[in-house]
């Protein structure tokens, strides 16, 4: 493909993408294919001779689309949003063309791991300063990290990769970690000869969008010399709105903070942002400088020392496009619209006496369930997803099986929310009618 054909095909692809997004709600949101469906649709080996571009494009609908879950459909209410906008897509094209191997951040999962490893390195050096006879292996064997029992699984995984034990702190009735609960566990562990060194607080947990009380937790972590990392992967975007800024109170106590613009800030996947209070703590843990990576601006903020992979795509370009073309007011309006839609869905649930709300609705997530057994709600969710009209995923809160309704798509409107509720309500009526007979 030469430049002339690239121009032609590029315009065709833009038309295909625009058509896809304009008509996405007409597509079944969740595929009904089985694992392995591709085996009969593609050859077992790569073609020996080059094929035409037309043949490749024809196979998009035949081969690829049947297996796609349409995350940007207004009927997708599972997990959390994955951001999406036309400016970000255009920037992604330019990013691909430039092909820059930039040194920038990865994902929230990686940010948690990096923070934990940096905290581990810092505490080991601190202890060895006072006790040079203690080996690194001995110290690490006594280290313990903490998180909420509502924290994302990636936090527990960070402990596994980092080779340290991870303990979960029980949450209160709002699914939030409070200072007293952390203090109690710290005292028990110190008495047992363990060394607390890291706490991952969550602002906007995955199950219910709960907020750990960092105004209580932060001073404890600072006093105990425990690194406090804050995972705000989803909720972090909402802090651009003044009315949600109080949820960030206590941030001054944090050693590191992460959120994902690719979740709720209209920046296409993937794009994650991390801050650290003292960059020397991060660099001190990972700085290895072979001669071939040295340059004249080594100390100006070389972030190749701040992450696991050396190279990354030019992600900041997408943020630059999106921030300029939406502006702060446009981004705030987008966040507020999603929150308003979640509140609308909450009101529909509350108006139906058969259902209950399972957690406070703060941002764009509604946790709800049929009043009754876990089994009843499991059956309802299975029927919702089997119908493939909308897509939801569950969570478990206080031992209860709960349905999550997350406003995800950029194009979701009130009519989609009401249509989704009508569908859920209808399936619930059918289920309850069956059980009565």
């Amino acid at each position: 493909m030469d430049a002339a054909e690239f121009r032609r095909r590029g315009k065709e692809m833009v038309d295909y993408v625009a058509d896809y997004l304009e008509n996405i709600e007409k597509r079944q949101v969740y595929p009904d294919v089985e694992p392995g469906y591709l085996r009969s649709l593609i050859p077992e080996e790569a073609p020996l001779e080059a094929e035409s571009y037309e043949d490749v494009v024809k196979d998009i609908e035949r081969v690829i689309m049947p297996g796609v879950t349409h995350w940007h459909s207004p009927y997708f209410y599972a997990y959390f949003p994955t951001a999406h906008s036309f400016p970000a897509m255009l920037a992604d094209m330019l990013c691909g063309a430039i092909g820059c191997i930039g040194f920038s951040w990865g994902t929230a999962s990686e940010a948690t791991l990096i923070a934990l490893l940096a905290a581990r390195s810092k505490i080991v050096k601190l202890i060895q300063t006072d006790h040079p006879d203690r080996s690194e292996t001995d110290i690490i064997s006594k280290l313990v990290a903490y998180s909420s029992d509502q924290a994302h699984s990636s936090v527990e995984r960070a402990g596994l990769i980092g080779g340290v034990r991870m303990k979960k702190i029980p949450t209160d009735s709002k699914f939030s970690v409070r200072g007293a609960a952390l203090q109690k566990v710290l005292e028990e562990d110190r008495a047992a000869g363990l060394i607390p060194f890291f706490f991952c607080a969550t602002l906007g947990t995955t199950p219910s969008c709960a907020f750990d009380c960092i105004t209580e937790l932060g001073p404890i972590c600072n006093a105990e010399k425990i690194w406090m990392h804050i995972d705000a992967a989803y909720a972090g975007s909402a802090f651009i709105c003044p009315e949600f800024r109080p949820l960030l109170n206590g941030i001054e106590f944090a050693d590191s903070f992460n959120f994902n613009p690719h979740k709720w800030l209209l920046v296409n996947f993937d794009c994650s942002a991390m801050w650290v209070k003292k960059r020397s703590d991060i660099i001190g843990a990972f700085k290895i400088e072979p001669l071939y990576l040295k340059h004249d601006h080594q100390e100006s903020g070389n972030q190749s020392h701040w992450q696991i992979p050396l190279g990354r795509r030019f992600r900041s370009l997408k943020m630059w496009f999106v921030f300029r073309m939406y502006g702060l007011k446009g981004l705030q309006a987008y966040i507020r619209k999603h929150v308003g839609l979640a509140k609308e869905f909450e009101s529909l649930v509350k108006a139906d006496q058969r259902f209950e709300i399972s957690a406070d609705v703060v941002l764009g997530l509604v946790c709800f369930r049929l009043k009754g057994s876990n089994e009843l709600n499991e059956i309802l969710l299975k029927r919702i997803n089997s119908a493939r009209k909308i897509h939801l995923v569950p969570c478990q809160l206080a031992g209860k099986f709960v349905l999550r309704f997350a406003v995800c798509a950029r194009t979701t409107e009130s009519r989609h929310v009401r249509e989704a509720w009508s569908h859920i309500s209808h399936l619930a009526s059918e289920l309850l009618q069956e059980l009565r007979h």
Side-chain angles (χ1 to χ4, degrees):
M1 183 181 287
D2 58 19
E5 186 181 3
F6 175 72
R7 290 178 193 275
R8 188 169 79 256
R9 300 304 189 187
K11 291 170 185 174
E12 290 172 3
M13 183 56 76
V14 167
D15 283 339
Y16 177 85
V17 169
D19 289 342
Y20 165 73
L21 292 173
E22 279 189 330
N23 297 290
I24 194 169
E25 66 180 83
K26 296 176 184 175
R27 294 178 183 261
Q28 183 174 286
V29 63
Y30 193 74
D32 54 10
V33 297
E34 296 294 327
Y37 87 96
L38 280 172
R39 290 186 187 279
S40 64
L41 298 178
I42 58 175
E44 292 185 4
E45 297 178 350
L48 188 62
E49 301 293 340
E51 296 183 24
S52 70
Y53 181 78
E54 287 88 347
D55 287 340
V56 175
V57 170
K58 282 178 191 172
D59 280 349
I60 293 174
E61 290 294 336
R62 183 182 73 89
V63 177
I64 303 301
M65 286 301 181
V68 171
T69 297
H70 300 284
W71 280 66
H72 301 290
S73 166
Y75 300 115
F76 183 92
Y77 300 103
Y79 309 106
F80 272 136
T82 179
H84 196 249
S85 69
F86 290 115
M89 282 183 266
L90 292 174
D92 248 346
M93 288 176 63
L94 180 57
C95 175
I98 294 172
C100 169
I101 307 302
F103 299 139
S104 59
W105 280 104
T107 66
S109 301
E110 186 181 329
T112 302
L113 174 59
I114 288 293
L116 182 138
L117 293 176
R120 189 187 73 176
S121 173
K122 184 177 182 179
I123 193 69
V124 168
K125 290 175 182 175
L126 194 64
I127 291 172
Q128 287 185 326
T129 299
D130 295 331
H131 305 280
D133 56 317
R134 290 193 69 173
S135 69
E136 181 174 336
T137 303
D138 172 55
I139 296 169
I140 290 175
S141 71
K142 300 288 194 300
L143 295 182
V144 57
Y146 307 89
S147 74
S148 160
D149 61 16
Q150 301 292 306
H152 193 271
S153 60
S154 61
V155 180
E156 190 173 359
R157 183 181 296 164
L160 289 172
I161 297 172
V164 297
R165 73 189 78 191
M166 178 75 69
K167 289 194 174 185
K168 295 182 179 181
I169 307 297
T171 51
D172 66 9
S173 60
K174 301 285 189 183
F175 309 108
S176 168
V177 173
R178 305 300 298 268
L182 176 63
Q183 188 71 59
K184 180 176 181 292
V185 177
L186 292 180
E187 290 172 0
E188 291 171 352
D189 286 349
R190 287 202 187 279
L194 298 176
I195 306 170
F197 80 104
F198 178 83
F199 175 68
C200 179
T202 305
L203 297 181
T205 60
T206 301
S208 66
C209 197
F211 293 79
D212 290 339
C213 189
I214 58 175
T215 54
E216 295 178 2
L217 298 164
I220 294 171
C221 289
N222 285 185
E224 298 276 354
K225 292 185 170 54
I226 292 170
W227 183 300
M228 184 169 78
H229 174 68
I230 293 180
D231 174 10
Y234 163 67
S237 297
F239 301 147
I240 66 170
C241 300
E243 63 268 33
F244 299 124
R245 204 65 67 72
L247 295 169
L248 200 55
N249 288 348
I251 187 66
E252 65 273 15
F253 298 110
D255 294 280
S256 52
F257 174 89
N258 174 264
F259 89 106
N260 287 346
H262 72 232
K263 275 195 169 66
W264 207 17
L265 211 58
L266 293 166
V267 180
N268 288 21
F269 186 85
D270 59 344
C271 183
S272 194
M274 182 178 180
W275 287 262
V276 291
K277 183 169 283 185
K278 289 177 64 179
R279 71 178 186 179
S280 59
D281 288 337
I282 293 279
I283 295 170
F286 305 109
K287 189 171 184 178
I288 296 176
E289 283 188 320
L291 184 62
Y292 52 78
L293 287 180
K294 290 188 176 180
H295 53 80
D296 293 338
H297 306 287
Q298 284 294 112
E299 302 308 318
S300 64
N302 185 352
Q303 291 179 330
S304 63
H305 304 306
W306 293 37
Q307 61 185 24
I308 295 169
L310 179 63
R312 287 288 185 185
R313 297 175 70 242
F314 191 1
R315 294 184 180 93
S316 57
L317 189 64
K318 293 184 287 190
M319 297 181 72
W320 190 58
F321 269 51
V322 170
F323 289 0
R324 293 185 67 184
M325 294 189 68
Y326 276 88
L328 179 59
K329 289 183 179 179
L331 293 169
Q332 289 173 334
Y334 175 69
I335 296 289
R336 288 166 178 152
K337 176 184 174 183
H338 273 200
V339 174
L341 290 172
K343 292 292 186 182
E344 181 177 3
F345 185 81
E346 179 191 24
S347 69
L348 293 170
V349 176
K350 284 184 171 180
D352 191 325
Q353 295 300 311
R354 302 170 302 173
F355 287 86
E356 60 187 2
I357 296 293
S358 303
D360 289 349
V361 179
V362 181
L363 298 177
L365 174 67
V366 182
C367 292
F368 70 107
R369 68 194 303 276
L370 271 172
K371 293 173 181 175
S373 68
N374 284 346
E375 184 184 11
L376 178 67
N377 284 278
E378 287 176 26
I379 295 170
L380 176 59
L381 180 64
K382 188 172 183 179
R383 292 192 180 189
I384 290 169
N385 286 334
S386 294
R388 291 183 167 83
K389 185 174 178 64
I390 65 173
H391 187 44
L392 304 179
V393 292
C395 68
Q396 191 165 45
L397 298 174
K400 292 184 176 180
F401 186 91
V402 173
L403 282 64
R404 296 171 73 263
F405 184 95
V407 180
C408 291
R410 176 178 53 85
T411 54
T412 304
E413 302 289 348
S414 175
R415 67 179 177 87
H416 299 115
V417 169
R418 291 183 174 274
E419 195 176 331
W421 171 248
S422 177
H423 179 61
I424 293 167
S425 179
H426 175 70
L427 291 176
S429 296
E430 286 186 345
L431 174 57
L432 294 172
Q433 183 73 17
E434 289 174 20
L435 294 175
R436 281 195 287 267
H437 288 84

